[in-house]
Amino acid sequence: MRNTGIIALLLALCGPSFAQEVSTAPAAGEVSVSTAPAELPGMAPSKPARAPGVYPQAAVPISGIVLTPTAYRGRGRNEIGLGLDFNAAYYIGRLYGKNSFDWTLEKKNYIDRLGVWFITADGKMLIQTEDAWRPAMAAGAQGTFAFRDSNQAALNSNRPSVSVDDDNTNTYATAYLALTKHIHPKFIINAGYADGDLSKSVYMLSEFLSERALSLNGYTGREVPTGALFAGFIWLPRPNNPLAAEVVIPQGAPMSPKLVNLQLGTLLKLNFQLSYLKFDGGWDLLGMFQFRYSHFPK
């Protein structure tokens, strides 16, 4: 009797859970039905959902646009760490330009040789990753070796003795803070502030911004300021063919120059780019080539 009572007590305690397991198990001759959606033959496998704020890496380096950096490392790796890029930009010359200076004879200029190289090493550290709402943030520095493969053109003025004797080589150093954000998986916006010599590099791109031209316009002895704002965007209609643009605006600079670089290699099927340089009293349309190599991370 004692053993019978113990067995009955165990059956009473285990009965509900055992009955539940038996009820959920398929009976003989029955087929279990899965609640997961089945993929029919010939259908493409479903893509895994992308987490908000997480974007795939690009097929090309997006750590910079033309002259200005972004907050990304390499092809857009979204993690804290270091990045190193090498960039070469070659401004061939002026395609067309206009000016309204009273000391010039010609008010229109076209097909003029420029021959300015900017060889830049760009090191940065991503200090804030990109999320669904916050942008990526990076701090870094650029070192640039600038030189001419031809002398700067002489000023076109009514004073025959006026000429430009600027040095043909310069070195520039710039520290910057950049913010970059995907507003669409294929569209990226970028903005930042640079302190250093980025503004001075703009003044190498036209004889109308040379020291002699500044003095003729009443800016004698005025130094080029160190601060500059920059902004831009990158559009990736195809993974390896970006379209991009950037603007560099030196703050408080004489003659208020503004440089716009367009990255149009996808449309032109070449690495040929266009630049628009605007300053008080005129503007120039420039042609250039640009090459960027992301050394780290690979």
Side-chain angles (χ1 to χ4, degrees), residues 65-69 91 118 142 174 190-203 205 209 224-232 245-253 256-262 275-279:
I65 300 180
V66 179
L67 297 181
T68 63
Y91 286 84
F118 295 124
Q142 292 182 336
T174 302
N190 183 62
Y193 179 79
D195 185 75
D197 297 329
L198 182 61
S199 299
K200 295 181 180 179
S201 63
V202 176
Y203 283 79
L205 301 180
L209 294 176
V224 177
T226 60
L229 295 174
F230 61 87
E246 67 182 10
V247 56
V248 180
I249 307 175
Q251 298 299 290
S256 303
K258 300 174 182 63
L259 176 64
V260 179
N261 292 314
L262 303 176
S275 297
Y276 175 72
L277 177 61
K278 177 70 173 64
F279 47 86

mmCIF file of all heavy atoms in Angstrom, residues 65-69 91 118 142 174 190-203 205 209 224-232 245-253 256-262 275-279:
data_model
loop_
_atom_site.group_PDB
_atom_site.id
_atom_site.type_symbol
_atom_site.label_atom_id
_atom_site.label_comp_id
_atom_site.label_asym_id
_atom_site.label_seq_id
_atom_site.Cartn_x
_atom_site.Cartn_y
_atom_site.Cartn_z
ATOM 1 N N ILE A 65 36.568 62.947 -49.977
ATOM 2 C CA ILE A 65 35.866 63.267 -51.219
ATOM 3 C C ILE A 65 36.904 63.629 -52.279
ATOM 4 O O ILE A 65 37.300 62.785 -53.072
ATOM 5 C CB ILE A 65 34.838 64.394 -50.986
ATOM 6 C CG1 ILE A 65 33.817 63.936 -49.924
ATOM 7 C CG2 ILE A 65 34.116 64.720 -52.290
ATOM 8 C CD1 ILE A 65 32.751 64.955 -49.610
ATOM 9 N N VAL A 66 37.372 64.861 -52.311
ATOM 10 C CA VAL A 66 38.475 65.234 -53.206
ATOM 11 C C VAL A 66 39.649 65.725 -52.354
ATOM 12 O O VAL A 66 40.623 65.008 -52.159
ATOM 13 C CB VAL A 66 38.041 66.287 -54.240
ATOM 14 C CG1 VAL A 66 39.220 66.657 -55.140
ATOM 15 C CG2 VAL A 66 36.906 65.751 -55.100
ATOM 16 N N LEU A 67 39.522 66.924 -51.810
ATOM 17 C CA LEU A 67 40.548 67.430 -50.900
ATOM 18 C C LEU A 67 40.156 67.278 -49.434
ATOM 19 O O LEU A 67 41.026 67.236 -48.571
ATOM 20 C CB LEU A 67 40.826 68.918 -51.190
ATOM 21 C CG LEU A 67 41.388 69.275 -52.567
ATOM 22 C CD1 LEU A 67 41.626 70.783 -52.642
ATOM 23 C CD2 LEU A 67 42.675 68.514 -52.859
ATOM 24 N N THR A 68 38.870 67.192 -49.144
ATOM 25 C CA THR A 68 38.402 67.178 -47.756
ATOM 26 C C THR A 68 38.154 65.750 -47.276
ATOM 27 O O THR A 68 37.756 64.883 -48.060
ATOM 28 C CB THR A 68 37.119 68.006 -47.611
ATOM 29 O OG1 THR A 68 36.076 67.421 -48.402
ATOM 30 C CG2 THR A 68 37.355 69.433 -48.048
ATOM 31 N N PRO A 69 38.353 65.496 -45.985
ATOM 32 C CA PRO A 69 38.143 64.152 -45.441
ATOM 33 C C PRO A 69 36.698 63.946 -45.000
ATOM 34 O O PRO A 69 35.943 64.901 -44.788
ATOM 35 C CB PRO A 69 39.083 64.132 -44.235
ATOM 36 C CG PRO A 69 39.054 65.561 -43.752
ATOM 37 C CD PRO A 69 38.933 66.423 -44.987
ATOM 38 N N TYR A 91 45.694 69.767 -60.403
ATOM 39 C CA TYR A 91 44.915 70.784 -61.097
ATOM 40 C C TYR A 91 45.643 71.144 -62.392
ATOM 41 O O TYR A 91 46.688 71.793 -62.370
ATOM 42 C CB TYR A 91 44.726 72.006 -60.209
ATOM 43 C CG TYR A 91 43.723 71.793 -59.102
ATOM 44 C CD1 TYR A 91 44.095 71.184 -57.910
ATOM 45 C CD2 TYR A 91 42.395 72.180 -59.259
ATOM 46 C CE1 TYR A 91 43.174 70.973 -56.897
ATOM 47 C CE2 TYR A 91 41.463 71.975 -58.252
ATOM 48 C CZ TYR A 91 41.862 71.377 -57.076
ATOM 49 O OH TYR A 91 40.944 71.170 -56.069
ATOM 50 N N PHE A 118 48.829 68.500 -55.332
ATOM 51 C CA PHE A 118 48.675 68.370 -53.890
ATOM 52 C C PHE A 118 48.820 66.891 -53.540
ATOM 53 O O PHE A 118 47.955 66.078 -53.876
ATOM 54 C CB PHE A 118 47.304 68.881 -53.419
ATOM 55 C CG PHE A 118 47.082 70.353 -53.611
ATOM 56 C CD1 PHE A 118 45.998 70.817 -54.332
ATOM 57 C CD2 PHE A 118 47.956 71.275 -53.064
ATOM 58 C CE1 PHE A 118 45.794 72.175 -54.507
ATOM 59 C CE2 PHE A 118 47.759 72.631 -53.229
ATOM 60 C CZ PHE A 118 46.672 73.087 -53.958
ATOM 61 N N GLN A 142 46.099 66.376 -41.681
ATOM 62 C CA GLN A 142 46.594 66.189 -43.036
ATOM 63 C C GLN A 142 47.929 66.897 -43.199
ATOM 64 O O GLN A 142 48.104 68.024 -42.730
ATOM 65 C CB GLN A 142 45.610 66.754 -44.064
ATOM 66 C CG GLN A 142 44.308 66.014 -44.175
ATOM 67 C CD GLN A 142 43.403 66.616 -45.245
ATOM 68 O OE1 GLN A 142 43.528 67.780 -45.594
ATOM 69 N NE2 GLN A 142 42.494 65.813 -45.771
ATOM 70 N N THR A 174 47.251 70.571 -41.611
ATOM 71 C CA THR A 174 45.873 70.900 -41.240
ATOM 72 C C THR A 174 45.357 69.892 -40.240
ATOM 73 O O THR A 174 45.547 68.681 -40.410
ATOM 74 C CB THR A 174 44.960 70.896 -42.483
ATOM 75 O OG1 THR A 174 45.459 71.820 -43.445
ATOM 76 C CG2 THR A 174 43.539 71.265 -42.114
ATOM 77 N N ASN A 190 28.443 65.131 -45.506
ATOM 78 C CA ASN A 190 29.676 65.315 -44.747
ATOM 79 C C ASN A 190 29.872 66.795 -44.445
ATOM 80 O O ASN A 190 29.532 67.657 -45.268
ATOM 81 C CB ASN A 190 30.869 64.789 -45.559
ATOM 82 C CG ASN A 190 32.179 64.885 -44.815
ATOM 83 O OD1 ASN A 190 32.342 64.272 -43.767
ATOM 84 N ND2 ASN A 190 33.123 65.660 -45.328
ATOM 85 N N ALA A 191 30.403 67.106 -43.273
ATOM 86 C CA ALA A 191 30.693 68.494 -42.907
ATOM 87 C C ALA A 191 31.789 68.482 -41.857
ATOM 88 O O ALA A 191 31.991 67.483 -41.143
ATOM 89 C CB ALA A 191 29.445 69.206 -42.376
ATOM 90 N N GLY A 192 32.518 69.603 -41.755
ATOM 91 C CA GLY A 192 33.579 69.664 -40.764
ATOM 92 C C GLY A 192 34.249 71.022 -40.724
ATOM 93 O O GLY A 192 33.886 71.948 -41.476
ATOM 94 N N TYR A 193 35.228 71.113 -39.852
ATOM 95 C CA TYR A 193 35.998 72.345 -39.683
ATOM 96 C C TYR A 193 37.478 71.986 -39.699
ATOM 97 O O TYR A 193 37.908 71.007 -39.063
ATOM 98 C CB TYR A 193 35.645 73.029 -38.370
ATOM 99 C CG TYR A 193 36.424 74.297 -38.118
ATOM 100 C CD1 TYR A 193 36.076 75.484 -38.736
ATOM 101 C CD2 TYR A 193 37.537 74.296 -37.262
ATOM 102 C CE1 TYR A 193 36.798 76.654 -38.515
ATOM 103 C CE2 TYR A 193 38.262 75.455 -37.028
ATOM 104 C CZ TYR A 193 37.888 76.635 -37.662
ATOM 105 O OH TYR A 193 38.612 77.783 -37.440
ATOM 106 N N ALA A 194 38.256 72.760 -40.437
ATOM 107 C CA ALA A 194 39.700 72.539 -40.551
ATOM 108 C C ALA A 194 40.437 73.759 -40.028
ATOM 109 O O ALA A 194 40.042 74.901 -40.308
ATOM 110 C CB ALA A 194 40.087 72.270 -42.001
ATOM 111 N N ASP A 195 41.483 73.520 -39.286
ATOM 112 C CA ASP A 195 42.318 74.603 -38.773
ATOM 113 C C ASP A 195 43.752 74.346 -39.230
ATOM 114 O O ASP A 195 44.303 73.272 -38.976
ATOM 115 C CB ASP A 195 42.253 74.663 -37.248
ATOM 116 C CG ASP A 195 43.021 75.854 -36.689
ATOM 117 O OD1 ASP A 195 42.511 76.983 -36.804
ATOM 118 O OD2 ASP A 195 44.127 75.649 -36.146
ATOM 119 N N GLY A 196 44.298 75.313 -39.929
ATOM 120 C CA GLY A 196 45.656 75.135 -40.453
ATOM 121 C C GLY A 196 45.799 75.773 -41.811
ATOM 122 O O GLY A 196 45.384 76.915 -42.024
ATOM 123 N N ASP A 197 46.354 75.012 -42.755
ATOM 124 C CA ASP A 197 46.744 75.569 -44.051
ATOM 125 C C ASP A 197 45.824 75.192 -45.197
ATOM 126 O O ASP A 197 46.179 75.403 -46.363
ATOM 127 C CB ASP A 197 48.166 75.123 -44.394
ATOM 128 C CG ASP A 197 49.188 75.649 -43.404
ATOM 129 O OD1 ASP A 197 48.961 76.738 -42.862
ATOM 130 O OD2 ASP A 197 50.210 74.967 -43.186
ATOM 131 N N LEU A 198 44.657 74.608 -44.899
ATOM 132 C CA LEU A 198 43.751 74.257 -45.993
ATOM 133 C C LEU A 198 43.346 75.488 -46.787
ATOM 134 O O LEU A 198 43.225 75.449 -48.015
ATOM 135 C CB LEU A 198 42.510 73.545 -45.447
ATOM 136 C CG LEU A 198 41.480 73.080 -46.484
ATOM 137 C CD1 LEU A 198 42.099 72.077 -47.441
ATOM 138 C CD2 LEU A 198 40.252 72.483 -45.796
ATOM 139 N N SER A 199 43.151 76.618 -46.093
ATOM 140 C CA SER A 199 42.792 77.860 -46.791
ATOM 141 C C SER A 199 43.900 78.310 -47.732
ATOM 142 O O SER A 199 43.632 78.811 -48.829
ATOM 143 C CB SER A 199 42.496 78.958 -45.768
ATOM 144 O OG SER A 199 41.417 78.606 -44.934
ATOM 145 N N LYS A 200 45.163 78.138 -47.318
ATOM 146 C CA LYS A 200 46.272 78.603 -48.147
ATOM 147 C C LYS A 200 46.368 77.831 -49.458
ATOM 148 O O LYS A 200 46.796 78.386 -50.478
ATOM 149 C CB LYS A 200 47.574 78.483 -47.367
ATOM 150 C CG LYS A 200 47.660 79.392 -46.146
ATOM 151 C CD LYS A 200 48.982 79.235 -45.429
ATOM 152 C CE LYS A 200 49.067 80.139 -44.199
ATOM 153 N NZ LYS A 200 50.348 79.984 -43.482
ATOM 154 N N SER A 201 45.991 76.563 -49.440
ATOM 155 C CA SER A 201 46.062 75.781 -50.674
ATOM 156 C C SER A 201 45.112 76.325 -51.733
ATOM 157 O O SER A 201 45.385 76.217 -52.935
ATOM 158 C CB SER A 201 45.756 74.311 -50.385
ATOM 159 O OG SER A 201 44.434 74.154 -49.889
ATOM 160 N N VAL A 202 43.992 76.920 -51.311
ATOM 161 C CA VAL A 202 43.044 77.487 -52.279
ATOM 162 C C VAL A 202 43.686 78.632 -53.056
ATOM 163 O O VAL A 202 43.425 78.821 -54.249
ATOM 164 C CB VAL A 202 41.770 77.953 -51.547
ATOM 165 C CG1 VAL A 202 40.813 78.647 -52.510
ATOM 166 C CG2 VAL A 202 41.076 76.780 -50.871
ATOM 167 N N TYR A 203 44.567 79.380 -52.404
ATOM 168 C CA TYR A 203 45.174 80.550 -53.033
ATOM 169 C C TYR A 203 46.218 80.181 -54.084
ATOM 170 O O TYR A 203 46.692 81.057 -54.805
ATOM 171 C CB TYR A 203 45.796 81.450 -51.962
ATOM 172 C CG TYR A 203 44.763 82.267 -51.213
ATOM 173 C CD1 TYR A 203 44.003 81.709 -50.214
ATOM 174 C CD2 TYR A 203 44.544 83.609 -51.525
ATOM 175 C CE1 TYR A 203 43.047 82.447 -49.530
ATOM 176 C CE2 TYR A 203 43.594 84.358 -50.854
ATOM 177 C CZ TYR A 203 42.841 83.777 -49.856
ATOM 178 O OH TYR A 203 41.889 84.505 -49.198
ATOM 179 N N LEU A 205 45.517 78.290 -56.615
ATOM 180 C CA LEU A 205 44.782 77.838 -57.791
ATOM 181 C C LEU A 205 44.416 78.941 -58.773
ATOM 182 O O LEU A 205 43.716 78.689 -59.750
ATOM 183 C CB LEU A 205 43.509 77.101 -57.336
ATOM 184 C CG LEU A 205 43.754 75.870 -56.450
ATOM 185 C CD1 LEU A 205 42.445 75.228 -56.054
ATOM 186 C CD2 LEU A 205 44.666 74.872 -57.145
ATOM 187 N N LEU A 209 44.590 85.287 -57.072
ATOM 188 C CA LEU A 209 44.652 85.169 -55.624
ATOM 189 C C LEU A 209 46.090 85.181 -55.112
ATOM 190 O O LEU A 209 46.333 84.859 -53.956
ATOM 191 C CB LEU A 209 43.959 83.871 -55.165
ATOM 192 C CG LEU A 209 42.442 83.796 -55.409
ATOM 193 C CD1 LEU A 209 41.916 82.425 -55.003
ATOM 194 C CD2 LEU A 209 41.709 84.895 -54.660
ATOM 195 N N VAL A 224 46.438 85.205 -44.680
ATOM 196 C CA VAL A 224 45.348 84.270 -44.930
ATOM 197 C C VAL A 224 45.005 83.578 -43.616
ATOM 198 O O VAL A 224 45.889 83.021 -42.957
ATOM 199 C CB VAL A 224 45.746 83.235 -45.999
ATOM 200 C CG1 VAL A 224 44.632 82.211 -46.196
ATOM 201 C CG2 VAL A 224 46.068 83.934 -47.309
ATOM 202 N N PRO A 225 43.754 83.592 -43.152
ATOM 203 C CA PRO A 225 43.397 82.963 -41.872
ATOM 204 C C PRO A 225 43.519 81.448 -41.944
ATOM 205 O O PRO A 225 43.566 80.850 -43.032
ATOM 206 C CB PRO A 225 41.947 83.407 -41.654
ATOM 207 C CG PRO A 225 41.432 83.674 -43.026
ATOM 208 C CD PRO A 225 42.591 84.191 -43.815
ATOM 209 N N THR A 226 43.546 80.829 -40.765
ATOM 210 C CA THR A 226 43.770 79.382 -40.703
ATOM 211 C C THR A 226 42.491 78.567 -40.708
ATOM 212 O O THR A 226 42.529 77.372 -40.984
ATOM 213 C CB THR A 226 44.564 79.036 -39.431
ATOM 214 O OG1 THR A 226 43.812 79.461 -38.279
ATOM 215 C CG2 THR A 226 45.916 79.731 -39.437
ATOM 216 N N GLY A 227 41.360 79.156 -40.386
ATOM 217 C CA GLY A 227 40.129 78.376 -40.266
ATOM 218 C C GLY A 227 39.384 78.247 -41.582
ATOM 219 O O GLY A 227 39.342 79.176 -42.395
ATOM 220 N N ALA A 228 38.783 77.080 -41.793
ATOM 221 C CA ALA A 228 37.991 76.851 -42.997
ATOM 222 C C ALA A 228 36.879 75.858 -42.686
ATOM 223 O O ALA A 228 37.089 74.862 -41.983
ATOM 224 C CB ALA A 228 38.852 76.331 -44.139
ATOM 225 N N LEU A 229 35.695 76.127 -43.200
ATOM 226 C CA LEU A 229 34.579 75.184 -43.146
ATOM 227 C C LEU A 229 34.556 74.367 -44.429
ATOM 228 O O LEU A 229 34.895 74.876 -45.511
ATOM 229 C CB LEU A 229 33.250 75.928 -42.982
ATOM 230 C CG LEU A 229 33.047 76.708 -41.682
ATOM 231 C CD1 LEU A 229 31.745 77.502 -41.757
ATOM 232 C CD2 LEU A 229 33.038 75.785 -40.481
ATOM 233 N N PHE A 230 34.157 73.108 -44.316
ATOM 234 C CA PHE A 230 33.991 72.299 -45.517
ATOM 235 C C PHE A 230 32.751 71.425 -45.375
ATOM 236 O O PHE A 230 32.325 71.078 -44.275
ATOM 237 C CB PHE A 230 35.233 71.444 -45.801
ATOM 238 C CG PHE A 230 35.592 70.460 -44.721
ATOM 239 C CD1 PHE A 230 35.038 69.188 -44.690
ATOM 240 C CD2 PHE A 230 36.517 70.800 -43.732
ATOM 241 C CE1 PHE A 230 35.385 68.275 -43.707
ATOM 242 C CE2 PHE A 230 36.867 69.900 -42.744
ATOM 243 C CZ PHE A 230 36.300 68.633 -42.727
ATOM 244 N N ALA A 231 32.169 71.092 -46.497
ATOM 245 C CA ALA A 231 30.973 70.252 -46.525
ATOM 246 C C ALA A 231 30.910 69.555 -47.874
ATOM 247 O O ALA A 231 31.568 69.970 -48.844
ATOM 248 C CB ALA A 231 29.712 71.079 -46.279
ATOM 249 N N GLY A 232 30.096 68.507 -47.948
ATOM 250 C CA GLY A 232 29.974 67.792 -49.207
ATOM 251 C C GLY A 232 29.036 66.614 -49.103
ATOM 252 O O GLY A 232 28.407 66.374 -48.060
ATOM 253 N N ALA A 245 30.609 65.770 -54.383
ATOM 254 C CA ALA A 245 30.950 67.184 -54.478
ATOM 255 C C ALA A 245 31.331 67.678 -53.096
ATOM 256 O O ALA A 245 30.878 67.137 -52.081
ATOM 257 C CB ALA A 245 29.782 68.001 -55.042
ATOM 258 N N GLU A 246 32.182 68.704 -53.055
ATOM 259 C CA GLU A 246 32.590 69.303 -51.788
ATOM 260 C C GLU A 246 32.792 70.794 -51.994
ATOM 261 O O GLU A 246 33.022 71.260 -53.116
ATOM 262 C CB GLU A 246 33.892 68.678 -51.285
ATOM 263 C CG GLU A 246 35.100 68.996 -52.148
ATOM 264 C CD GLU A 246 36.383 68.340 -51.686
ATOM 265 O OE1 GLU A 246 36.315 67.481 -50.786
ATOM 266 O OE2 GLU A 246 37.462 68.681 -52.228
ATOM 267 N N VAL A 247 32.679 71.555 -50.900
ATOM 268 C CA VAL A 247 32.938 72.982 -50.931
ATOM 269 C C VAL A 247 33.864 73.318 -49.768
ATOM 270 O O VAL A 247 33.687 72.792 -48.657
ATOM 271 C CB VAL A 247 31.627 73.792 -50.865
ATOM 272 C CG1 VAL A 247 30.804 73.446 -49.648
ATOM 273 C CG2 VAL A 247 31.913 75.295 -50.907
ATOM 274 N N VAL A 248 34.869 74.142 -50.029
ATOM 275 C CA VAL A 248 35.809 74.621 -49.015
ATOM 276 C C VAL A 248 35.630 76.130 -48.917
ATOM 277 O O VAL A 248 35.755 76.839 -49.923
ATOM 278 C CB VAL A 248 37.262 74.271 -49.382
ATOM 279 C CG1 VAL A 248 38.212 74.783 -48.307
ATOM 280 C CG2 VAL A 248 37.429 72.769 -49.560
ATOM 281 N N ILE A 249 35.336 76.617 -47.696
ATOM 282 C CA ILE A 249 35.065 78.036 -47.486
ATOM 283 C C ILE A 249 36.022 78.565 -46.418
ATOM 284 O O ILE A 249 35.783 78.381 -45.224
ATOM 285 C CB ILE A 249 33.610 78.278 -47.054
ATOM 286 C CG1 ILE A 249 32.635 77.615 -48.035
ATOM 287 C CG2 ILE A 249 33.315 79.774 -46.948
ATOM 288 C CD1 ILE A 249 31.185 77.705 -47.610
ATOM 289 N N PRO A 250 37.130 79.198 -46.810
ATOM 290 C CA PRO A 250 38.005 79.831 -45.814
ATOM 291 C C PRO A 250 37.250 80.942 -45.080
ATOM 292 O O PRO A 250 36.488 81.704 -45.684
ATOM 293 C CB PRO A 250 39.150 80.391 -46.659
ATOM 294 C CG PRO A 250 39.129 79.588 -47.927
ATOM 295 C CD PRO A 250 37.691 79.277 -48.164
ATOM 296 N N GLN A 251 37.468 81.006 -43.772
ATOM 297 C CA GLN A 251 36.737 81.961 -42.947
ATOM 298 C C GLN A 251 37.527 83.266 -42.811
ATOM 299 O O GLN A 251 38.672 83.266 -42.360
ATOM 300 C CB GLN A 251 36.456 81.358 -41.578
ATOM 301 C CG GLN A 251 35.575 80.117 -41.620
ATOM 302 C CD GLN A 251 34.208 80.412 -42.199
ATOM 303 O OE1 GLN A 251 33.398 81.084 -41.569
ATOM 304 N NE2 GLN A 251 33.941 79.916 -43.399
ATOM 305 N N GLY A 252 36.900 84.393 -43.191
ATOM 306 C CA GLY A 252 37.541 85.689 -43.059
ATOM 307 C C GLY A 252 38.714 85.907 -43.980
ATOM 308 O O GLY A 252 39.580 86.742 -43.702
ATOM 309 N N ALA A 253 38.780 85.182 -45.085
ATOM 310 C CA ALA A 253 39.928 85.259 -45.996
ATOM 311 C C ALA A 253 39.780 86.442 -46.943
ATOM 312 O O ALA A 253 38.668 86.791 -47.353
ATOM 313 C CB ALA A 253 40.053 83.968 -46.794
ATOM 314 N N SER A 256 37.491 86.550 -50.206
ATOM 315 C CA SER A 256 36.422 85.564 -49.928
ATOM 316 C C SER A 256 36.375 84.420 -50.942
ATOM 317 O O SER A 256 35.347 84.189 -51.599
ATOM 318 C CB SER A 256 35.062 86.260 -49.890
ATOM 319 O OG SER A 256 35.062 87.286 -48.929
ATOM 320 N N PRO A 257 37.456 83.676 -51.116
ATOM 321 C CA PRO A 257 37.405 82.583 -52.094
ATOM 322 C C PRO A 257 36.562 81.414 -51.589
ATOM 323 O O PRO A 257 36.461 81.168 -50.383
ATOM 324 C CB PRO A 257 38.877 82.181 -52.231
ATOM 325 C CG PRO A 257 39.472 82.516 -50.909
ATOM 326 C CD PRO A 257 38.765 83.762 -50.448
ATOM 327 N N LYS A 258 35.967 80.701 -52.533
ATOM 328 C CA LYS A 258 35.205 79.477 -52.257
ATOM 329 C C LYS A 258 35.543 78.481 -53.355
ATOM 330 O O LYS A 258 35.452 78.799 -54.549
ATOM 331 C CB LYS A 258 33.706 79.749 -52.215
ATOM 332 C CG LYS A 258 33.273 80.753 -51.167
ATOM 333 C CD LYS A 258 31.809 81.073 -51.283
ATOM 334 C CE LYS A 258 31.390 82.128 -50.262
ATOM 335 N NZ LYS A 258 32.085 83.420 -50.493
ATOM 336 N N LEU A 259 35.926 77.278 -52.951
ATOM 337 C CA LEU A 259 36.325 76.249 -53.903
ATOM 338 C C LEU A 259 35.321 75.105 -53.870
ATOM 339 O O LEU A 259 35.053 74.544 -52.804
ATOM 340 C CB LEU A 259 37.727 75.726 -53.569
ATOM 341 C CG LEU A 259 38.244 74.574 -54.435
ATOM 342 C CD1 LEU A 259 38.407 75.018 -55.895
ATOM 343 C CD2 LEU A 259 39.559 74.032 -53.892
ATOM 344 N N VAL A 260 34.764 74.775 -55.026
ATOM 345 C CA VAL A 260 33.841 73.648 -55.170
ATOM 346 C C VAL A 260 34.501 72.613 -56.067
ATOM 347 O O VAL A 260 34.837 72.910 -57.223
ATOM 348 C CB VAL A 260 32.491 74.086 -55.766
ATOM 349 C CG1 VAL A 260 31.564 72.884 -55.925
ATOM 350 C CG2 VAL A 260 31.841 75.151 -54.884
ATOM 351 N N ASN A 261 34.693 71.398 -55.553
ATOM 352 C CA ASN A 261 35.261 70.292 -56.322
ATOM 353 C C ASN A 261 34.163 69.283 -56.630
ATOM 354 O O ASN A 261 33.439 68.844 -55.730
ATOM 355 C CB ASN A 261 36.383 69.595 -55.544
ATOM 356 C CG ASN A 261 37.603 70.474 -55.373
ATOM 357 O OD1 ASN A 261 38.060 71.104 -56.316
ATOM 358 N ND2 ASN A 261 38.144 70.518 -54.164
ATOM 359 N N LEU A 262 34.046 68.919 -57.898
ATOM 360 C CA LEU A 262 33.057 67.937 -58.334
ATOM 361 C C LEU A 262 33.771 66.647 -58.728
ATOM 362 O O LEU A 262 34.709 66.678 -59.528
ATOM 363 C CB LEU A 262 32.263 68.469 -59.529
ATOM 364 C CG LEU A 262 31.530 69.800 -59.327
ATOM 365 C CD1 LEU A 262 30.866 70.229 -60.628
ATOM 366 C CD2 LEU A 262 30.506 69.690 -58.215
ATOM 367 N N SER A 275 36.386 71.685 -61.134
ATOM 368 C CA SER A 275 36.384 72.523 -59.942
ATOM 369 C C SER A 275 35.941 73.930 -60.315
ATOM 370 O O SER A 275 36.252 74.420 -61.406
ATOM 371 C CB SER A 275 37.778 72.575 -59.302
ATOM 372 O OG SER A 275 38.183 71.292 -58.864
ATOM 373 N N TYR A 276 35.241 74.549 -59.387
ATOM 374 C CA TYR A 276 34.756 75.912 -59.577
ATOM 375 C C TYR A 276 35.317 76.761 -58.445
ATOM 376 O O TYR A 276 35.056 76.489 -57.271
ATOM 377 C CB TYR A 276 33.228 75.927 -59.568
ATOM 378 C CG TYR A 276 32.621 77.316 -59.629
ATOM 379 C CD1 TYR A 276 32.652 78.069 -60.795
ATOM 380 C CD2 TYR A 276 32.013 77.873 -58.504
ATOM 381 C CE1 TYR A 276 32.088 79.339 -60.857
ATOM 382 C CE2 TYR A 276 31.441 79.138 -58.551
ATOM 383 C CZ TYR A 276 31.480 79.863 -59.732
ATOM 384 O OH TYR A 276 30.929 81.119 -59.779
ATOM 385 N N LEU A 277 36.104 77.777 -58.803
ATOM 386 C CA LEU A 277 36.734 78.669 -57.832
ATOM 387 C C LEU A 277 36.105 80.050 -57.962
ATOM 388 O O LEU A 277 36.221 80.703 -59.004
ATOM 389 C CB LEU A 277 38.238 78.740 -58.075
ATOM 390 C CG LEU A 277 39.039 79.689 -57.175
ATOM 391 C CD1 LEU A 277 38.920 79.279 -55.715
ATOM 392 C CD2 LEU A 277 40.502 79.726 -57.602
ATOM 393 N N LYS A 278 35.435 80.497 -56.896
ATOM 394 C CA LYS A 278 34.770 81.798 -56.881
ATOM 395 C C LYS A 278 35.487 82.722 -55.904
ATOM 396 O O LYS A 278 35.868 82.304 -54.814
ATOM 397 C CB LYS A 278 33.305 81.617 -56.438
ATOM 398 C CG LYS A 278 32.530 82.925 -56.311
ATOM 399 C CD LYS A 278 32.277 83.548 -57.666
ATOM 400 C CE LYS A 278 31.357 84.769 -57.555
ATOM 401 N NZ LYS A 278 31.961 85.877 -56.766
ATOM 402 N N PHE A 279 35.692 83.967 -56.298
ATOM 403 C CA PHE A 279 36.320 84.959 -55.431
ATOM 404 C C PHE A 279 35.756 86.328 -55.786
ATOM 405 O O PHE A 279 35.118 86.502 -56.852
ATOM 406 C CB PHE A 279 37.849 84.937 -55.584
ATOM 407 C CG PHE A 279 38.336 84.915 -57.002
ATOM 408 C CD1 PHE A 279 38.511 86.088 -57.729
ATOM 409 C CD2 PHE A 279 38.604 83.705 -57.637
ATOM 410 C CE1 PHE A 279 38.950 86.071 -59.043
ATOM 411 C CE2 PHE A 279 39.034 83.677 -58.952
ATOM 412 C CZ PHE A 279 39.212 84.863 -59.661
#
